[in-house]
Amino acid sequence: MSRSYRLRTGYKFGLRVPEDSKEAYEIDKENGDTFWTDAITKEMQNVYVAFDVKGPGEKAPPGYKHIPYRLIFEIKLPSQEKLD
């Protein structure tokens, strides 16, 4: 991964920010929670409607091309409206 895409510290707002999905699952296992797993699941549910996702070893149909995905992890603060 290019350096320009990585956080220098790996932490934001006191939470460790993963560089890839493998690290996200490892962080969840270390912390004993599902914070990043839930975030990945929510995001994939939103984007799967636009793609025909194939399993490991399945090839794209003729005329189509395999496009790998990359997740970028970020932590956002809740908006002020939600805090009231």
Side-chain angles (χ1 to χ4, degrees), residues 5 20-21 23 30 32 52 55-56 73:
Y5 290 109
D20 56 27
S21 56
E23 185 179 359
E30 290 170 11
D52 181 16
F73 295 92

Side-chain angles (χ1 to χ4, degrees), residues 37-81:
T37 302
D38 294 344
I40 292 169
T41 301
K42 183 178 177 183
E43 186 64 24
M44 288 295 114
Q45 286 174 346
N46 291 332
V47 299
Y48 272 171
V49 296
F51 300 98
D52 181 16
V53 179
K54 300 291 183 189
E58 290 184 83
K59 295 190 177 201
Y64 289 83
K65 179 179 167 182
H66 170 76
I67 302 174
Y69 70 90
R70 181 171 152 241
L71 296 174
I72 299 173
F73 295 92
E74 181 63 58
I75 297 175
K76 299 178 183 177
L77 288 175
S79 67
Q80 286 294 330
E81 296 117 24

